[in-house]
Amino acid sequence: MSDPDFNDSTLIEHLVELRARLVRGLMGLGVVLLALLPFSRTLYTHLATPLVSQLPAGQSMIATNPAGAFFAPLKLTFFTALFVAVPWLLYQAWAFVAPGLYAREKRLAVPLLGSAVALFYLGCAFAYFLVLPTVFHFLTTFRPEVIAITPDANAYLDFVLAIFFAFGASFELPVAMVILVLLGWVTPQQLREGRGYAIVGIFVLAAILTPPDVVSQLMLAIPMCILYELGIHAARWLQPRDPNKAAAS
């Protein structure tokens, strides 16, 4: 029979450690945010480039809300700080849970976390450098001449953040597939056999997550199909030798 005092002291130690990790994570995020605040306007200018570069000469964004021109850059700065601080935040989470993991779990968790962060960054970069310029060029090229595009600063920011999240999260597909295989829920063979259904699901998901235009849907669906194939190969490489021990490994 376990000692209640021992269990209580252990729980308190975990809570104290959790609080310390949360404080360190928030402090790191605060430092990054303070460092980026002087560059708020510059950050928004860079974010607006994919759209502004497609607008007619002399035309720019507007702020329908009087405070929009002030809060939109600040909102972007916060999300940029969060974006930059993700590795530090994940490290704090890892430092909290790592002592309770087995050696094999630690060996697998580190590359999986690193791959997840890298793929999320890659998805956001793909959206910024390729998807947004292409989509805005398509939308501005085929608009009727009688319609003037006067985008609102806050609405544009929300739109771009949604695109970043959609592409960043979608690029996590290989990591999700590897985790499912390691848990023993599926096998690489089942992933290969379900490729056709997966492709249909990918195109449906792309249609839901992206704006209602074919260009952005294809630019999300095609990379996801490629990532699905990469996920199959990665899952086959990392699959436990004994499938019956997949969930316990």
Side-chain angles (χ1 to χ4, degrees):
M1 187 172 182
S2 60
D3 186 355
D5 293 336
F6 176 78
N7 291 336
D8 291 343
S9 62
T10 303
L11 177 60
I12 292 175
E13 290 175 0
H14 286 312
L15 292 176
V16 170
E17 175 68 13
L18 177 60
R19 184 184 64 179
R21 293 297 174 184
L22 288 174
V23 170
R24 292 175 188 174
L26 292 176
M27 288 179 62
L29 176 61
V31 169
V32 177
L33 179 60
L34 290 176
L36 291 177
L37 278 177
F39 307 99
S40 296
R41 292 187 296 178
T42 303
L43 289 173
Y44 196 92
T45 299
H46 284 300
L47 186 73
T49 298
L51 176 58
V52 174
S53 61
Q54 303 297 328
L55 296 177
Q59 194 170 341
S60 60
M61 291 187 178
I62 62 172
T64 55
N65 187 325
F70 174 76
F71 284 110
L74 290 181
K75 182 178 177 181
L76 172 62
T77 304
F78 170 77
F79 280 102
T80 304
L82 185 62
F83 182 82
V84 173
V86 162
W88 171 251
L89 297 175
L90 287 178
Y91 169 75
Q92 296 302 321
W94 166 254
F96 177 72
V97 302
L101 299 178
Y102 294 107
R104 172 178 169 78
E105 293 173 337
K106 290 181 180 180
R107 289 196 303 269
L108 292 174
V110 172
L112 284 176
L113 282 175
S115 300
V117 174
L119 286 171
F120 187 85
Y121 285 166
L122 180 62
C124 293
F126 181 81
Y128 179 78
F129 291 105
L130 293 177
V131 177
L132 292 180
T134 304
V135 169
F136 292 141
H137 177 73
F138 174 81
L139 294 177
T140 55
T141 299
F142 291 96
R143 68 176 176 86
E145 294 294 334
V146 296
I147 299 178
I149 300 179
T150 54
D152 174 69
N154 272 304
Y156 173 78
L157 176 59
D158 292 338
F159 172 81
V160 172
L161 290 178
I163 290 293
F164 281 173
F165 179 78
F167 276 80
S170 299
F171 272 51
E172 301 292 330
L173 180 60
V175 176
M177 294 169 62
V178 169
I179 292 175
L180 291 177
V181 170
L182 292 176
L183 291 174
W185 293 358
V186 295
T187 65
Q189 179 63 29
Q190 290 174 329
L191 293 175
R192 285 194 297 270
E193 293 173 353
R195 182 184 288 111
Y197 298 102
I199 292 176
V200 174
I202 286 172
F203 274 88
V204 172
L205 182 65
I208 295 174
L209 296 179
T210 59
D213 65 275
V214 178
V215 176
S216 59
Q217 293 173 13
L218 290 176
M219 295 189 75
L220 178 59
I222 293 175
M224 285 189 68
C225 291
I226 297 174
L227 290 170
Y228 185 85
E229 296 297 325
L230 293 177
I232 293 176
H233 291 292
R236 184 174 57 183
W237 182 55
L238 294 173
Q239 183 183 27
R241 294 182 178 179
D242 185 0
N244 295 326
K245 298 180 181 179
S249 299

